[in-house]
Amino acid sequence: MKEEIHANLSVRIFTDQKCFGPGVAQLLRYVDELHSLRAAALAMSMAYSKAWTVIHNAETGLGFKLLCSVTGGKNGGGAVLTEEARKMISAYEEYCEKLHAFGDTLFEETFAFYHDLVKENNA
Amino acid sequence: MKEEIHANLSVRIFTDQKCFGPGVAQLLRYVDELHSLRAAALAMSMAYSKAWTVIHNAETGLGFKLLCSVTGGKNGGGAVLTEEARKMISAYEEYCEKLHAFGDTLFEETFAFYHDLVKENNA
């Protein structure tokens, strides 16, 4: 018997197809930080073509753009998040945070028997 | 914009390694119904060797047996669930059910903006 037990929750959002999850969210956070999809892909050790497909599929599933291109400026252009992308990240993070908080308490209650089994085996 | 949006939640349980999730739970339900790991694997279109590994890894992670072999009897022996396996399935199902109920309500609140965007785009 192991002393520690916990649940890992993963949240994926669907319309008529998968459209948002931890991978898209992380990629968007990197784009926001690095102002470039290419740099964001590199930061996640992901091929640029794969990153482009991830964003494209998410946009298709959601029905709105997540990134818009900017040209020129001191950094020579790049990508920035749309307002809708910021709303999605913010809602996704809030949802995951509240779900995890509820899930942690629920887990302690529901899997209390596991700790009883540990005690019995160590008695 | 798509009219429908929802979250899919997946729950995987870890000790010092992954030890329980939807696949193990389904396999155990089939063993309980069919009294055979081989028949359960077949019902899930899974190789018997894979099913055996799934059960073995779950047992190692949890620190107790999930299946016990029975010999003889009118069905010529097979596998039955241990008491601990029944507790795990029952707790897992209860946890997932309560989490989904909470998650559905939370999703409606947190992603209300999505429906507002749909309305704006359709206005």
Side-chain angles (χ1 to χ4, degrees):
Chain A
M1 299 288 296
K2 313 297 172 74
E3 294 288 336
E4 288 301 319
I5 188 166
H6 68 278
N8 271 20
L9 309 181
S10 77
V11 178
R12 289 183 170 76
I13 296 174
F14 288 71
T15 51
D16 53 352
Q17 64 185 77
K18 186 185 154 193
C19 62
F20 208 86
V24 186
Q26 189 58 58
L27 195 54
L28 291 175
R29 281 185 211 106
Y30 274 121
V31 172
D32 196 31
E33 183 187 332
L34 303 167
H35 310 292
S36 154
L37 181 57
R38 195 173 293 277
L42 193 64
M44 290 180 73
S45 303
M46 184 186 280
Y48 173 70
S49 59
K50 166 78 176 169
W52 189 90
T53 303
V54 165
I55 296 294
H56 179 75
N57 289 347
E59 289 178 336
T60 305
L62 288 165
F64 50 70
K65 287 281 180 187
L66 293 168
L67 298 184
C68 52
S69 301
V70 289
T71 51
K74 67 175 180 176
N75 298 315
V80 296
L81 304 194
T82 61
E83 192 54 42
E84 289 83 359
R86 289 189 196 286
K87 284 182 181 171
M88 279 301 297
I89 295 175
S90 168
Y92 184 74
E93 288 176 349
E94 182 186 339
Y95 182 79
C96 289
E97 194 177 312
K98 289 181 178 173
L99 190 77
H100 287 148
F102 177 83
D104 285 349
T105 306
L106 181 63
F107 192 85
E108 289 304 315
E109 292 166 12
T110 317
F111 285 85
F113 79 92
Y114 187 87
H115 298 291
D116 295 340
L117 287 177
V118 173
K119 277 181 211 146
E120 284 168 24
N121 275 271
N122 293 343
Chain B
M1 299 289 297
K2 313 296 171 77
E3 294 288 336
E4 288 301 319
I5 188 166
H6 68 278
N8 270 21
L9 309 181
S10 76
V11 177
R12 289 183 170 76
I13 296 175
F14 288 70
T15 51
D16 54 351
Q17 64 186 73
K18 186 186 154 194
C19 62
F20 208 86
V24 186
Q26 188 58 59
L27 196 53
L28 291 175
R29 281 185 212 107
Y30 274 120
V31 172
D32 196 30
E33 183 186 331
L34 303 168
H35 309 291
S36 154
L37 181 57
R38 196 173 292 275
L42 194 63
M44 290 180 73
S45 303
M46 185 187 279
Y48 173 70
S49 59
K50 168 77 176 171
W52 189 90
T53 302
V54 165
I55 297 293
H56 179 76
N57 288 347
E59 289 178 336
T60 304
L62 288 165
F64 51 69
K65 287 283 181 187
L66 292 168
L67 298 184
C68 52
S69 301
V70 289
T71 51
K74 67 174 181 176
N75 298 315
V80 296
L81 304 194
T82 61
E83 192 55 41
E84 288 83 0
R86 290 190 193 286
K87 284 183 180 170
M88 280 302 296
I89 295 175
S90 167
Y92 184 75
E93 288 176 348
E94 181 185 338
Y95 182 79
C96 289
E97 194 177 313
K98 288 182 178 172
L99 191 77
H100 287 147
F102 177 84
D104 285 349
T105 306
L106 181 63
F107 192 85
E108 288 304 314
E109 292 165 13
T110 317
F111 285 84
F113 79 91
Y114 188 88
H115 298 290
D116 295 340
L117 286 177
V118 173
K119 279 181 209 147
E120 284 168 24
N121 276 270
N122 294 342

